[in-house]
Amino acid sequence: MKTKFTTLFFLIISIHAVAQQRISGRIFGPRDPIAFATVSSPETGLQSYAAENGAFSLSVSGVGKVQIRVTAVGYRSLDTVVNSLSSDLLFRLQPLNLNLREVEVNFVRQPASSNSSLLFDRQAIEQAQAFSLTDILNNLPGKKMVPLDLQGPQNLTLRGNLDGAAASNNSMGIGIVVDGIVQTNNANMQSRNLGTFGASGSTLSDSRNSRRYDVTFGGIDLRDIPADNIESIEVIQGVAPVKYGDMTDGAVIINRQAGETPYQFAARFNGGSTNTSLSKGFKLKNKAGAININLNYLMSNDDPRDKMKAYSRLNGGAMWTSYFAKGLKNNLSVDLSEKFDNAKTDPDDERLRRTYSKARSIRIGNRTSYTFDHGYLKSLNFTIGIDRSYNESYADYYLNGSPRGMAGKDTTGTYEGFYIPGNYTAVDHIIGRPFNINSGLDLLSAFQIGKTVHTLSTGLSFSRASNGGTGVLADPNRPRLPNSGNKNERPYSFEFVPALVNIGAYVEDRFKISIFGKTLHTAAGLRLDFQNGFASFQPRINSNLELGNGLKANVAYGISSKAPTMAYRYPGPTYIDLPLIDYYTGDVRNSLYLVHTTRFVPDNSDLKPARSQQIELGMSLTKPFFTTSLNAYHKVNSRGFNTQQNYYPLAVPVYTAVPNGANKPGYVSAGRDTIWPGLTISEVGNLVSSSSSGIEWLVNTKKIPAIQTSFSFNSVFGYSTYRQSGDRSAIANEVFIREGRKGWYGVYEANKYDKWSVSSRLNSNTHIPKLGLVVSAILDVTWKDETKTLNSRLPIAYLDRYMVRYPIANFDPANSDYGHLAQSQAADSFASLPIPYANLSMRLSKEFRKRIRFSINAYNVLNVQPRYFDEATSTLYVFNDPISVGAELSFKF
C-alpha cells in the first residue's frame, strides 16, 4: 500500500507547469518591418503577433527544436525550425508575385489541424481565377475542372461520390468556418410542405431547366462566397480536431485578409459572367491597428443572347484588426451581402413561368485573443458571430383548365368548400428571416508530465438558430398543384417555430513523445455536444510517427455528429382534403363541394443527430525533389436525414347530394363510411445510411530547372454505398383491392445503391520568374464510374386495410393474400461509364511590374468531346462540355 501511495505522489508532483521559453525577433519585408504578422507553432497551436515595428515574442513549451510558421497578408509564408531559446531572430518575407523563385499554385498537404488537411495559400487562390469559392475547391483530389456555372446552387461534398439524399447529407455535414466563426444553414426553411412534397420536391425550381434555387436541405451555397479577400483555405477531408462541432463530413476553414494591403482591383470575364472586386487594407494611426475594406460584384447570364436567366451577387465588408494592449488582439468584421437568382418570364412561354430566389444578410463577427505571460496559461480566445438574413423564394405558373373544388380550413372536419376558376396564375411564395448566433470560448495551456510537454486545449461552443419569417404564403385561391394526392398547401408562419440550441464542450491534448528513437505527434480529444435534446460523445485522434529519412506514418480516428436543421425539425402540418361531394353545375352559386380535411401535425422531437465514424491510415514521404502521400479511409455515416412516403388510409363518412332545383343542393349522410387507401404523407426520419471507402495518392515535385516546370499528380479511388433505412411500401392495384384481397400494401426492402469511381489529375506548372509568367496545364482523366441499384421486387411483408402488418418468410406467388404484390420491374440496374475519357484545361498568368496581372484560362482547351453510342438503348453519350474561355485583369496600387 505504501508503494502505491509513493508512486501516486511522484506522478502528481511530476505534473507541473512547463518551463516557459521565448523565441523573439523581428519580421521584415524587403525593406520595412511588417506589422501585425502572425508567428505560430503549428505543432502546438501557440501563436503571437508582431507589433508595428515588426517585433515579436512567442512563448513556447520545453527546450529543443521548434517548428515556426510566419504569415502576413500579401507575403509568402515562411516555415522554419529554430531553437526554443532563440532570440534576436530576423525573418524576411517576400511579397507575393510571380517573380519569386518559387510559387505554389496548387494546394499542398500540410498537417495543420488534421492529418488530412489540404492548404490553399493566397498564391494558389489567385491562380485559380475564381468567381467564387467553388472554383478553388474544384482543385481538390477527386474533383474535376468544369466550365463556369453560376446558374444553380453549388454544394461541396467530401469523400463521397453518391447522389441524392446521401450527397445532401454529406454537404450539410461540412463545416464552413470563416475567420473562426461557423457559417451555418441551420435556420434555412425555404421549402414547401415536406409532408406533401418530400425533401426532394419541396424546394422551388425553374421547371424549364429543373434548376433548384435554394439549398434548404444541403450545405451552404458556395456561389455566395467570393474569393478575392481570402488569404488561406484549409480543407479537412477526414477527422477534424474536436474544436469543430456540428459537422460529420469535414470542414473548410477560411481566413480572410487582415492587415495593411495595397489597393487591389480585379475584373473577370467568362461567357455571360462578369466579376469585379476592389479591396484595400489601411494602417491606422496612433497604434489603432488596421482596417480592411472589400467590395465584390458578380453578374452572370445563362445565355447572353436572351438574358432570361441571371444570377447576381453583391458583397461588401470591413474588418478592423487592433491590438489594444500587449498580447491582446481583436478582429471585428461586418459583412453585407445580397443575391438575386432570377428566371424571367419568356413571352413565348404559354404558361408564363417565372421563378426567383433572393437573399440579403448582415453578418457581424468578433474574435478576441489574449496571450498570457504565464508558464501554464498560454492564450484565451473568444469568438462570436451574428448572422441576420432575409430569404425570399417565388414561383408563378399560369394554369388553364376546368374549375375545381378547393378546401380552405386548417382544422380537421367536414365542411363545404368552394370552387376556383380553372385559369389563373398559381403562386408559390416563401419568406424566411434566418437568425443565427454562434460563439466559442477556447483556453490554451501547457504542462509537463515527466519529460513530455502537453498543450491542452479546452473550450465551449454555443449556437442558436431561429427563423422569424412570414413563412409559406399559400393562397388557396391560386394553388400551384391543386389537390395533388388529395393534399393542398396552407399558410405556415415561421415566426412561432421554436429555436434550435446546440451546446458543446471539448478538451484536446497535443503532445509528442519518443518511441524507440522515433517521434510520435498526437492530438487526442473528446467532444460532447447537446443537440436537439440528445448528447453526442465524439472522441477524435490524429497521430503521425516520424520514421526517419522523410518518411511518416499517420493514423486518425473520429466520431462526429450533425444536428437536424430547422427545416427537418419543424416542418409544417400536412392537410389531406377528401372530396365527399363534387356537385358542379357550371354556376358556383348552385354548386356544392363537400370536403373532409384531416390535419396531420408532425412530431420530430425524436429526430437524432446524424453521425459519422471515420478511420484513416496513411504514409507520406518528403524528399528534396518531391513529396508524396498515400492515404486510405473508411467512413460510415448513419442517421442521416430524409423523408419517406408512408400510407395513411382514412375512413370518412359517405354523403349523398340532394338536388334542390335551380338552387344550391343539400346533402344527407348515407349512414356508412368508406376507406381511401392511397393516401400518403412524407415523414422525416433518420433514414439515410452510407459508407465511403477510398484511397488518395498525391505526388508533388519541385521545379525542374532545365524546363522551369514542376508537376503534381493525384489519383483517387472511391467506393460508396447508400442505404435508405426502413422499408419501402407500395399500394396494390385497385383491381385486387376491389376483389377483397387481404394484402392492400406490399412492404419491400429499401433500394440500395453502390457506386465506385477512379479518377486522376496531372498538373504541370511552368514558372519563369524573370518574365513573371506561369503556365499551367490540368489533365483530368475519368477511368471508371459505375452505379449499381439493387431493387427488391418481392415483398417481405404486407399490410391489410387496417394497416396490420403480416411478415412473409418465403414469398409464394400463388398465395391469394399477397401473391399479387410482386413488382414486375427488373431486380437490379446498372449505370456504368462505357469508356474512359480525359479533359485538358489550361491557365496562363503574366505579371507586369509586380502590380498588374493578366490571366486567361480555358476549359477543355482542345474542345475534345468523346462520344459513345449505346446500341442496346439507342442512347448517345457525350463527355466533356464545349470549350469555355475566361480572362482576368488585376491591379495592385
Side-chain angles (χ1 to χ4, degrees), residues 7-8 30 46 51 77 117 140 206 218 307 447 462 513 536 538 568 627 678 696 719 724 774 814 878:
T7 303
L8 180 60
L46 299 170
S77 300
S117 290
L140 289 169
D206 184 355
K307 298 184 179 182
F447 60 91
F462 171 85
I513 59 175
S536 299
Q538 305 161 57
Y568 280 125
T627 62
E696 301 166 343
Y719 176 78
Q724 177 89 356
V774 174
V878 180

Side-chain angles (χ1 to χ4, degrees), residues 43-59:
E43 291 180 350
T44 62
L46 299 170
Q47 62 183 15
S48 182
Y49 310 98
E52 293 196 6
N53 62 356
F56 74 91
S57 176
L58 176 67
S59 173

Side-chain angles (χ1 to χ4, degrees), residues 162-169 198-200 568 637-646 681-691 721-729 747-754 788-792 796:
L162 289 169
D163 301 317
S168 296
N169 277 269
S200 62
Y568 280 125
N637 289 62
S638 58
R639 304 194 313 220
F641 312 115
N642 198 12
T643 53
Q644 179 172 276
Q645 184 174 272
N646 296 320
I681 294 178
S682 292
E683 296 180 295
V684 178
N686 295 113
L687 300 171
V688 178
S689 298
S690 64
S691 67
T721 65
Y722 165 40
R723 304 290 185 260
Q724 177 89 356
S725 301
D727 300 323
R728 176 175 56 89
S729 57
V747 180
Y748 311 84
E749 290 184 350
N751 291 344
K752 305 174 182 179
Y753 305 90
D754 294 345
K788 181 180 181 181
T789 304
L790 306 177
N791 295 303
S792 176
I796 59 174

Side-chain angles (χ1 to χ4, degrees), residues 592-728:
L592 173 66
Y593 185 71
L594 188 68
V595 62
H596 179 85
T597 292
T598 300
R599 182 177 187 257
F600 288 87
V601 180
D603 178 12
N604 294 337
S605 59
D606 60 347
L607 199 60
K608 299 178 180 179
R611 186 174 186 269
S612 175
Q613 185 174 359
Q614 185 168 190
I615 186 170
E616 302 174 74
L617 298 170
M619 301 287 291
S620 64
L621 179 63
T622 302
K623 290 296 183 182
F625 177 66
F626 73 95
T627 62
T628 183
S629 63
L630 184 67
N631 286 273
Y633 65 88
H634 179 65
K635 179 173 65 173
V636 177
N637 289 62
S638 58
R639 304 194 313 220
F641 312 115
N642 198 12
T643 53
Q644 179 172 276
Q645 184 174 272
N646 296 320
Y647 285 91
Y648 282 90
L650 291 178
V652 295
V654 177
Y655 287 86
T656 303
V658 179
N660 190 17
N663 299 316
K664 183 177 182 178
Y667 57 90
V668 295
S669 172
R672 58 186 175 87
D673 292 344
T674 186
I675 294 179
W676 289 65
L679 306 175
T680 62
I681 294 178
S682 292
E683 296 180 295
V684 178
N686 295 113
L687 300 171
V688 178
S689 298
S690 64
S691 67
S692 298
S693 302
I695 299 174
E696 301 166 343
W697 180 31
L698 280 65
V699 181
N700 290 278
T701 74
K702 297 291 185 181
K703 184 191 294 185
I704 302 173
I707 57 175
Q708 296 287 289
T709 301
S710 61
F711 296 92
S712 64
F713 169 82
N714 69 71
S715 193
V716 176
F717 164 80
Y719 176 78
S720 298
T721 65
Y722 165 40
R723 304 290 185 260
Q724 177 89 356
S725 301
D727 300 323
R728 176 175 56 89

Side-chain angles (χ1 to χ4, degrees), residues 19-46:
Q20 179 173 319
Q21 310 296 336
R22 288 196 174 276
I23 299 172
S24 61
R26 298 185 72 185
I27 303 170
F28 276 76
R31 294 183 300 273
D32 302 321
I34 301 176
F36 318 131
T38 301
V39 184
S40 62
S41 170
E43 291 180 350
T44 62
L46 299 170

Side-chain angles (χ1 to χ4, degrees), residues 200-272:
S200 62
S202 61
T203 54
L204 299 188
S205 63
D206 184 355
S207 56
R208 288 171 291 188
N209 53 25
S210 299
R211 290 276 194 168
R212 299 199 180 278
Y213 280 59
D214 296 301
V215 289
T216 311
F217 304 104
I220 290 176
D221 189 352
L222 300 184
R223 295 179 304 167
D224 299 339
I225 303 178
D228 291 273
N229 63 332
I230 295 177
E231 185 67 16
S232 67
I233 302 171
E234 180 186 356
V235 180
I236 302 174
Q237 300 189 102
V239 179
V242 291
K243 176 181 179 179
Y244 301 107
D246 201 32
M247 42 78 74
T248 52
D249 291 87
V252 179
I253 303 167
I254 299 170
N255 290 304
R256 296 183 298 176
Q257 293 180 334
E260 184 180 13
T261 62
Y263 282 101
Q264 301 178 77
F265 172 81
R268 301 176 191 87
F269 310 92
N270 190 315

